[in-house]
Amino acid sequence: MPELPEVETVRRGLNRLVKGATIASIEVRWPKIINNDVDSFKSRLIGQTIERVDRRGKYLLFRFSDGLTMISHLRMEGKYNVVPANEGQDKHTHVIFHLTDDRDLLYNDTRKFGRMTLVPTGEEVTVAGLKTIGPEPTENDLTVAYLTDIFSQSKKMIKPLLLDQSKIAGIGNIYADETLWMSKIHPMRPANSLTDDEIVVLRQSIIDEMARAIKGHGTTVHSFSTFGETGKFQNQLHVYGHEGEPCERCGSLIEKIKVAQRGTHFCPHEQQL
DNA sequence: CAGAACACCTGCCGGC
DNA sequence: TGCCGGCAGGTGTTCT
């Protein structure tokens, strides 16, 4: 469920469903998901109440009553579900938070890539990933001056740069392709070759696209739903998953290539090197 | 230090 | 049908 809009959708769902809930006990079936010592992770959380869930980039931050924060990253396939006690588990359920109100908060993850880390609130910044995370893709945080600065200092291709979480938080493979298409910029353009105008357009595309995707409850690729809410944003994608189909603006066929090991979709007519 | 390659996992799809 | 390679919305580590 991975990019920023999907994580934000999960965050809102969690706040709706488990804010104020208290942990009765915890089962960990795949210990590698927990970055802490598993016994200490469990014992410190038992009896704690979820005060709220925050987000930074693609990281969820569960704020607990006793000054603890559980950092949760879903990576490729992590999902949360809230179910009646002892229901809804399957072979991909790896962590179960039994709540005191006869419900369970389940963490499911087909590929087991997701990770959870428990830290004292305020020490999030010591965790790899959050240590170096860049600004949120919002009007206030992502300034033209900042982008101009980081782009001018890098010869790297623009697409892998957009995916670099230490430069901008929250962009993933889908929205990188979508925002480059909207900005008519080839994914392999060196970052320092972008003109001032292109930077302004790309910045606005990123900010607007993230906001639109959040409004649409994110993109659902494998027909999974989040707390009963299926993201609808996949209906608004222009290039991702549309290889071989005509570009909506010019009719040229969308191509799929590999850029820095990632599948990359673009319009060869409007996005030129 | 930047950048690339690889590691971590499972499921699904297409080709033979 | 079965096996095999390749691919998937991500990031942390290790090696140049």
Side-chain angles (χ1 to χ4, degrees):
Chain A
M1 282 248 88
E3 304 184 42
L4 189 153
E6 293 74 47
V7 178
E8 175 63 16
T9 302
V10 172
R11 185 191 76 80
R12 293 178 182 186
L14 287 168
N15 274 314
R16 191 155 41 80
L17 290 168
V18 295
K19 189 197 286 193
T22 298
I23 310 291
S25 62
I26 302 174
E27 287 177 58
V28 177
R29 296 180 177 171
W30 190 262
K32 286 183 98 171
I33 288 182
I34 312 296
N35 280 326
N36 309 74
D37 173 81
V38 173
D39 287 337
S40 120
F41 175 87
K42 289 193 211 170
S43 63
R44 285 194 284 165
L45 283 181
I46 288 170
Q48 299 305 310
T49 297
I50 300 171
E51 295 194 323
R52 68 172 185 285
V53 182
D54 294 332
R55 180 188 59 71
R56 180 74 172 89
K58 302 174 195 171
Y59 294 81
L60 290 166
L61 306 169
F62 288 71
R63 308 297 191 183
F64 284 95
S65 42
D66 202 19
L68 292 171
T69 292
M70 186 181 83
I71 303 163
S72 170
H73 198 299
L74 307 172
R75 296 281 181 92
M76 297 290 268
E77 311 230 20
K79 287 164 212 66
Y80 282 101
N81 279 297
V82 179
V83 297
N86 301 308
E87 288 183 20
Q89 301 167 20
D90 63 26
K91 63 173 173 174
H92 300 303
T93 304
H94 305 306
V95 183
I96 304 170
F97 299 89
H98 296 289
L99 307 176
T100 57
D101 59 10
D102 289 323
R103 294 181 304 159
D104 291 341
L105 173 63
L106 304 182
Y107 178 72
N108 280 36
D109 191 339
T110 308
R111 292 172 74 182
K112 301 174 174 166
F113 281 175
R115 292 294 179 264
M116 298 176 192
T117 310
L118 189 61
V119 296
T121 298
E123 291 184 20
E124 299 82 1
V125 75
T126 62
V127 172
L130 286 174
K131 217 180 297 188
T132 54
I133 197 164
E136 294 285 313
T138 59
E139 195 64 45
N140 285 340
D141 293 346
L142 190 67
T143 64
V144 174
Y146 170 78
L147 282 182
T148 303
D149 186 45
I150 59 165
F151 288 172
S152 68
Q153 286 181 44
S154 179
K155 288 177 286 192
K156 256 176 86 170
M157 296 183 286
I158 186 64
K159 174 166 175 185
L161 201 66
L162 292 182
L163 293 176
D164 181 345
Q165 303 298 298
S166 73
K167 302 298 189 296
I168 307 171
I171 302 177
N173 207 36
I174 293 179
Y175 299 114
D177 285 0
E178 291 297 315
T179 54
L180 287 170
W181 176 83
M182 290 188 279
S183 311
K184 304 186 183 180
I185 296 169
H186 192 288
M188 296 175 76
R189 285 270 302 281
N192 63 7
S193 76
L194 266 64
T195 65
D196 289 349
D197 285 350
E198 285 175 325
I199 294 173
V200 167
V201 170
L202 178 56
R203 169 182 175 273
Q204 207 60 52
S205 300
I206 292 168
I207 293 168
D208 293 349
E209 179 72 352
M210 288 295 173
R212 273 197 301 272
I214 289 170
K215 265 192 188 150
H217 305 295
T219 298
T220 302
V221 171
H222 298 301
S223 78
F224 290 124
S225 64
T226 307
F227 308 121
E229 227 171 6
T230 305
K232 295 182 180 64
F233 203 71
Q234 59 276 15
N235 303 323
Q236 294 180 54
L237 299 180
H238 303 99
V239 283
Y240 187 89
H242 289 259
E243 58 269 29
E245 298 172 26
C247 169
E248 290 170 30
R249 289 187 304 237
C250 75
S252 305
L253 298 187
I254 300 298
E255 286 182 14
K256 182 174 182 184
I257 59 173
K258 201 139 257 211
V259 177
Q261 285 84 245
R262 307 296 303 275
T264 298
H265 313 71
F266 74 109
C267 168
H269 177 65
E270 296 189 318
Q271 295 170 267
Q272 299 204 1
L273 272 176

